[in-house]
Amino acid sequence: MRPPRYCRFLRRCVFLVVGITIVPAVFMILAGSEAGVGRLHHQSASQHKNDSWSHEAMSYWMSEVEARMVQRRHHLKQTCTMLGLDVSGNDSLHRPNPWEFLVNRPYHLVWCNVFKAASTSWMYNFNILAGYNSKFLKNSKLVPLNLARRRYPRPSLHALQQALHDSIAFLIVRHPLERLLSAYRDKIQFSLPHTLHQKLGNEIILKYRKNKQKAKGPGNKSTPKNPRWPTFSEFVQYLVNIQQKGDPFDMHWTPITHFCTPCQVDFDIILKFETLQEDQNYLIHQAGLQDVIRPEWKNPAKGRTTTELVTSYYSQLTTAQIFQLYHIYRYDFELFGYTLDGYLELGMTESNSPDTPPT
């Protein structure tokens, strides 16, 4: 267990007190002007406009985000205790996992890198903090994670615990099923040729595709019913089978609870993908890095919206499959306050599933 960080606790209290004190003043400034309120919220989402903010507006915004962070930390700790995940043990859920952490000692920043949760954006920022310049990172053909590991070797548990004493530790989370879909599209459906993920995709097709047409060669045509990649349903069947066998998951879709052990590591700031712009600004200000890095969004969605993608893909699953995914990611749902709202309604009943034999 880490000792209490009194300085950080006092800093949080100051933010809350300042926020409570200046809120009335801010409302007087903005009174009678809905446009003023709109401008305030628009500015809170744009880091480059922060310089033009008044001290009162900045303090008000910081207090709003701080309250959100306090609630997230409280919910996490309370749920960890309820689920018994905050006690020490020998299994992967009950001991800290330092493997995926990046520790920046000069800037006192500790990050657990969760793939498919703004990982590309923050890998870029951590590479900037490591001393790489933006031009080099833009032109480099090397994998950003490999570049980062040259400057941030994987820490031992002792090294991680030492860093946590005087650093801000943060984690970025995302709705488990949205994160899973992002991983499927990036690593399975649109996998690069001759990669391990393309090989895995072919293996999934061979094992889970119902008809006799197996993985297709380059000269064969892909059809909607028999694409060259595993369908989302086939991929989910694979995940469920892996879970049942107790085999390890690929890092891109491993549950965050296993990856970062948030009940065993005391995270100061929990960012959410859904409020990422404001949360990034808050983190950067808390770390005092406004002149060094800025909020990044390296892989913005293109074409269809997230809602459209979720509807398109999860409507290919049965309700039973969606429940099976919930079971796999149950702790991520509970620890970070996510639900199945908007997902169960998309699932097919077993009688409507194309895999259900006719009666």
Side-chain angles (χ1 to χ4, degrees), residues 254-321:
T254 296
I256 296 172
T257 309
H258 291 266
F259 212 58
C260 297
T261 54
C263 293
Q264 295 292 317
V265 176
D266 187 11
F267 286 99
D268 301 293
I269 297 178
I270 301 168
L271 297 81
K272 285 195 171 185
F273 197 82
E274 297 80 7
T275 53
L276 187 58
Q277 189 70 18
E278 284 193 344
D279 293 356
Q280 289 184 105
N281 270 306
Y282 173 81
L283 169 62
I284 290 169
H285 277 82
Q286 286 287 74
L289 297 175
Q290 303 94 308
D291 298 328
V292 186
I293 57 175
R294 59 188 176 84
E296 294 288 342
W297 197 275
K298 289 296 181 183
N299 288 326
K302 297 178 181 179
R304 289 184 289 179
T305 65
T306 299
T307 300
E308 290 170 338
L309 288 171
V310 165
T311 300
S312 173
Y313 284 83
Y314 279 93
S315 61
Q316 300 172 27
L317 305 183
T318 65
T319 303
Q321 285 180 303

Side-chain angles (χ1 to χ4, degrees), residues 116-234:
K116 313 314 297 179
S119 55
T120 302
S121 301
W122 273 91
M123 197 63 69
Y124 175 85
N125 271 335
F126 260 68
N127 277 328
I128 292 291
L129 294 176
Y132 297 111
N133 65 57
S134 57
K135 184 177 180 180
F136 169 79
L137 292 176
K138 181 179 180 181
N139 296 326
S140 176
K141 302 300 182 183
L142 298 175
V143 177
L145 176 59
N146 293 341
L147 278 175
R149 285 302 178 196
R150 293 180 179 181
R151 305 287 175 89
Y152 304 105
R154 297 188 187 276
S156 66
L157 178 56
H158 176 73
L160 175 61
Q161 290 172 331
Q162 288 294 110
L164 290 171
H165 289 325
D166 61 357
S167 301
I168 294 177
F170 73 97
L171 174 68
I172 306 174
V173 301
R174 187 177 185 179
H175 190 289
L177 300 191
E178 186 181 308
R179 175 175 168 248
L180 177 64
L181 176 56
S182 177
Y184 163 75
R185 283 170 49 81
D186 182 31
K187 299 301 178 182
I188 300 297
Q189 183 176 2
F190 301 117
S191 61
L192 296 175
H194 314 298
T195 61
L196 290 175
H197 285 111
Q198 187 186 58
K199 180 181 177 182
L200 173 61
N202 289 335
E203 292 171 356
I204 292 173
I205 292 173
L206 287 169
K207 185 169 184 178
Y208 297 101
R209 187 151 293 175
K210 299 297 183 182
N211 59 38
K212 299 300 182 183
Q213 289 181 283
K214 304 299 184 181
K216 300 178 180 298
N220 294 326
K221 291 185 177 180
S222 176
T223 66
K225 289 186 178 181
N226 293 288
R228 291 195 184 98
W229 55 86
T231 66
F232 193 42
S233 179
E234 291 164 349

Side-chain angles (χ1 to χ4, degrees), residues 12 16 66-83 86 262-263 266-270 272 334-337:
R12 292 170 183 154
L16 288 173
E66 172 68 21
R68 190 161 68 214
M69 295 300 170
V70 169
Q71 188 277 330
R72 288 175 185 173
R73 287 194 300 268
H74 176 74
H75 175 85
L76 175 63
K77 289 184 179 296
Q78 192 175 49
T79 309
C80 285
T81 300
M82 181 184 71
L83 297 174
D86 57 350
C263 293
D266 187 11
F267 286 99
D268 301 293
I269 297 178
I270 301 168
K272 285 195 171 185
E334 297 198 30
L335 293 177
F336 304 117

